[in-house]
Amino acid sequence: MPLDRRQFFQASAALGASFALPAPLLAAEKGKERRIDLVSSAFTVALDPSGASRSAVWGFNEQLPGPTLRFRRGERVHLAVKNELPQETAVHWHGLRVPNAMDGVPGVTQHPIATGGRFDYRFELRDSGTFWYHPHQASFEQVPRGLYGALIVEEEKPPSVDRDEVWVLSDMKLDNQRQPVEDFGRILDIANDGRIGNQILVNGLVAGSQRTLTIRSGERLRLRLINAASARFFRLAIDGHEARIIAFDGQGVTPHPLPAGGLALGPGMRVDLIIDCMGSPGQSFPLRDLGRPPATPTVLGALTYSSQPALRSKPLASAVTLAPNRIAEPDLAKASDHYIIFQGGMRGSPVIGLVDGKPSRIQEIMAKQGLAWTMNYNAQHEHALMHEPLLHLRTGEHVMLHMINETDFLHPMHLHGHFFRVLAVDGKPTPHREWRDTVIMGPRQSIDVAFVADNPGEWMYHCHILDHAAGGMMGTIVVE
Ligand SMILES: [Cu+2]
């Protein structure tokens, strides 16, 4: 271990008060494998540096969010996770194409890590991009308590920028004493929009115009945004700047501006922006969450110009397109069609699901099992993954997956171990055919995605509203 643990925590505590995430954790190189130690535990943090109160959270290495892990594509890593939580856990590396046994899903890819126990995750980083890590055990409780962190894999030749920043967006549900409300897993949250916090956090601190990112006029900024909230969607807009989207979920996309109504970022999703900062010294521009109408916009943070003279008078002319990762291209001519139908929730038409093979009304499923959602007519518990997988795919199969949302709710659907191209929404082709690992399915919407099933194993496929996942929107896809 490169640093004595106490020294490490003291160093990170000293950094904790500043807004920017602490400097990336650097690991000593051990042969060609880089080792990082992560300890999940309960501790307290000051969410508002100007306030006196500290809030009880769970997190990694006594930091909220956990340390930003920064690697280079092609590196081999060893992530040693120690569990000091009062319950079992496991860590999933969201978006990384790892071997199945390293995917961090208890009951499917590994045994849960007991209190006091440890698990060693070792894999090669096949893809560059913006990723994150979080538990996949009781995730509806462990993630909103604070167990999440950014994982950045740099390109061999990253686009030239003056600043590369990570903003981890999340929220917490706090009481009057600024302590977490202990109401995880309520059926009312499960069957509706999920448990949404009353305090938005940016890099573990209360959101607002005081969360400034100080920049110099003329700088080119790469801003990586990660939605680590367990249920909240963000709809992002930046005043006074023409930000360009260069990546979704870590994968390069044709650079294009933010949509006029704001950029939707569902739970689990990431976006990389390039912003040429051409404001004047002393100016400040908010980055807002426009929310869901009729909600009023919330200021998340601000780009504030220092008084330093401009770095350059014209924006950099160099390209901002990312070199693609090596992802097998699905051949639509030979792709096989598969369908997943989603039903359930408190609103909408009555649905029928199967409980122990018997057709049941959703009200019965809720009352008897605490579940509220079905996928292909099946509802199952997060840790009762003894049911049939949703799909069986052959290794190398070209897949066209049609996702049909018959609910009145939004669902950010996440597939492990693969990226898919988003081809159509309600049958209408998408403008960028982007690669993603998580895609928003709007109410009553159908989404068509395609991919090559080239990573063998049993992979989770679930809604990233973690209360929905706990309430039945959790299944597996087998690549055999
Ligand atoms: Cu959902």
Side-chain angles (χ1 to χ4, degrees):
M1 195 170 169
L3 266 178
D4 170 74
R5 197 173 147 218
R6 188 181 296 156
Q7 286 172 357
F8 170 73
F9 287 148
Q10 281 168 352
S12 52
L15 283 163
S18 72
F19 166 56
L21 286 170
L25 203 55
L26 296 173
E29 281 208 30
K30 202 182 193 179
K32 281 189 176 166
E33 189 180 67
R34 285 178 62 192
R35 172 169 166 168
I36 304 273
D37 287 69
L38 291 173
V39 180
S40 49
S41 66
F43 53 97
T44 65
V45 290
L47 299 172
D48 186 350
S50 62
S53 66
R54 295 182 71 83
S55 304
V57 300
W58 293 1
F60 292 103
N61 294 8
E62 298 192 1
Q63 294 177 47
L64 182 77
T68 295
L69 309 180
R70 229 177 227 277
F71 303 108
R72 186 58 71 93
R73 182 162 73 182
E75 274 190 296
R76 285 198 63 79
V77 294
H78 173 188
L79 298 153
V81 175
K82 179 127 200 294
N83 179 20
E84 291 181 1
L85 298 171
Q87 57 179 242
E88 296 176 328
T89 194
V91 180
H92 169 58
W93 318 97
H94 185 122
L96 293 181
R97 294 189 291 170
V98 298
N100 192 251
M102 297 290 111
D103 200 42
V105 183
V108 178
T109 68
Q110 67 170 90
H111 293 297
I113 313 170
T115 301
R118 196 184 119 149
F119 193 92
D120 294 286
Y121 297 90
R122 306 176 109 117
F123 47 82
E124 189 181 327
L125 296 162
R126 295 169 63 187
D127 299 301
S128 55
T130 302
F131 304 100
W132 66 299
Y133 58 98
H134 64 82
H136 224 283
Q137 169 92 8
S139 53
F140 65 95
E141 173 181 358
Q142 295 194 4
V143 175
R145 282 191 187 275
L147 285 157
Y148 44 79
L151 196 162
I152 308 300
V153 185
E154 292 171 356
E155 300 84 13
E156 283 97 341
K157 284 185 192 158
S160 160
V161 298
D162 300 299
R163 201 180 286 270
D164 183 336
E165 295 282 345
V166 182
W167 281 16
V168 179
L169 309 178
S170 63
D171 65 14
M172 274 200 184
K173 188 168 175 183
L174 299 170
D175 64 18
N176 293 337
Q177 276 72 51
R178 308 289 282 164
Q179 299 309 313
V181 180
E182 302 280 339
D183 66 345
F184 303 98
R186 288 192 316 162
I187 190 70
L188 268 179
D189 287 326
I190 287 173
N192 286 291
D193 290 312
R195 180 180 176 277
I196 293 177
N198 52 7
Q199 176 62 64
I200 296 177
L201 302 177
V202 179
N203 289 345
L205 297 173
V206 295
S209 53
Q210 73 278 20
R211 299 277 80 81
T212 58
L213 179 57
T214 305
I215 46 175
R216 191 171 165 187
S217 182
E219 277 190 336
R220 172 170 282 179
L221 164 69
R222 179 174 184 173
L223 182 58
R224 304 171 188 258
L225 298 165
I226 300 170
N227 185 353
S230 55
R232 179 186 290 272
F233 284 73
F234 291 93
R235 194 166 287 277
L236 303 161
I238 303 177
D239 288 12
H241 292 79
E242 285 171 26
R244 279 174 287 176
I245 297 166
I246 61 161
F248 288 121
D249 293 352
Q251 307 305 320
V253 65
T254 310
H256 63 281
L258 267 61
L263 168 67
L265 199 66
M269 300 170 81
R270 293 86 65 209
V271 66
D272 284 35
L273 305 176
I274 291 283
I275 307 172
D276 287 307
C277 302
M278 302 313 292
S280 307
Q283 284 187 302
S284 187
F285 298 89
L287 192 155
R288 300 175 197 277
D289 170 30
L290 302 180
R292 252 165 115 177
T296 45
T298 308
V299 174
L300 298 175
L303 301 180
T304 300
Y305 285 80
S306 73
S307 55
Q308 283 181 289
L311 186 67
R312 53 180 77 86
S313 58
K314 276 189 216 155
L316 271 182
S318 57
V320 294
T321 307
L322 293 176
N325 287 308
R326 287 169 217 95
I327 307 173
E329 188 64 43
D331 179 349
L332 301 185
K334 65 176 182 187
S336 48
D337 289 293
H338 296 273
Y339 296 83
I340 298 180
I341 295 165
F342 300 80
Q343 295 187 327
M346 285 289 274
R347 298 192 294 265
S349 53
V351 295
I352 301 292
L354 296 177
V355 177
D356 300 327
K358 281 185 288 192
S360 309
R361 286 162 14 102
I362 199 78
Q363 288 80 1
E364 289 163 345
I365 299 172
M366 281 171 64
K368 281 187 193 157
Q369 299 202 307
L371 300 171
W373 307 94
T374 64
M375 294 194 290
N376 284 354
Y377 313 106
N378 269 290
Q380 61 188 36
H381 281 286
E382 185 177 14
H383 301 299
L385 294 164
M386 309 306 284
H387 298 250
E388 262 298 286
L390 285 161
L391 299 176
H392 288 269
L393 306 173
R394 281 171 290 106
T395 300
E397 183 173 338
H398 292 238
V399 178
M400 174 72 112
L401 179 58
H402 307 276
M403 297 155 46
I404 299 160
N405 183 6
E406 294 188 350
T407 81
D408 288 328
F409 293 81
L410 288 157
H411 305 287
M413 296 306 304
H414 174 44
L415 173 64
H416 289 208
H418 297 79
F419 295 101
F420 47 75
R421 273 205 190 279
V422 183
L423 298 181
V425 176
D426 284 337
K428 200 171 149 250
T430 53
H432 301 291
R433 296 168 56 88
E434 70 268 21
W435 292 110
R436 287 188 187 268
D437 57 54
T438 308
V439 64
I440 297 173
M441 226 173 31
R444 306 269 158 191
Q445 211 169 49
S446 69
I447 305 276
D448 299 336
V449 304
F451 63 100
V452 180
D454 58 0
N455 198 358
E458 183 169 6
W459 299 102
M460 300 310 299
Y461 170 75
H462 66 93
C463 180
H464 227 285
I465 292 178
L466 299 172
D467 308 281
H468 290 183
M473 289 188 92
M474 174 83 99
T476 66
I477 291 178
V478 174
V479 179
E480 56 204 353

